[in-house]
Amino acid sequence: METKKKKIPERRCVGCGETKEKKALIRVVRTPEGEVVLDVTGKKSGRGAYICHSLSCFKKARKSKRFETNLSVEIPDEIYDKLEKELTESAI
């Protein structure tokens, strides 16, 4: 009897466009209240967009406003700065 292989969830990075394992990406989420936060657990409720642990991917996504497109919300600069700071801290 053949054992069933467990399907590994994959998501696409909004920066580079590469499809990777969900665990290898960071989730940026728009909560039901409209707040945009970094979701390290990947379990917060809301609309999510995924990004690599790479600063270059983040800068590319920010420049082309891919977070706004994916999350359907206007993101202020201070939120971007906070996300960038958290991303650089988590990369260390």
Side-chain angles (χ1 to χ4, degrees):
M1 198 163 142
E2 208 176 301
T3 56
K4 245 186 154 180
K5 265 191 151 182
K6 192 166 193 241
K7 191 169 184 272
I8 300 165
E10 291 185 333
R11 298 292 182 264
R12 186 177 302 251
C13 171
V14 294
C16 61
E18 284 184 38
T19 304
K20 298 182 179 183
E21 276 187 36
K22 189 177 172 182
K23 287 179 184 166
L25 300 168
I26 300 171
R27 184 172 184 240
V28 179
V29 67
R30 183 198 68 210
T31 62
E33 296 80 43
E35 188 184 7
V36 177
V37 288
L38 211 58
D39 179 16
V40 242
T41 62
K43 303 220 185 301
K44 287 186 182 174
S45 68
R47 179 90 176 121
Y50 293 83
I51 189 91
C52 293
H53 284 266
S54 153
L55 213 53
S56 62
C57 278
F58 177 80
K59 287 181 175 163
K60 203 183 291 181
R62 180 178 182 175
K63 188 178 178 189
S64 56
K65 297 194 179 287
R66 291 195 184 133
F67 286 114
E68 276 97 338
T69 308
N70 281 285
L71 300 175
S72 306
V73 68
E74 190 69 36
I75 301 174
D77 282 339
E78 57 265 18
I79 300 285
Y80 271 127
D81 295 338
K82 186 178 160 204
L83 290 173
E84 189 172 353
K85 185 175 178 269
E86 286 183 48
L87 193 64
T88 47
E89 286 172 2
S90 71
I92 296 168

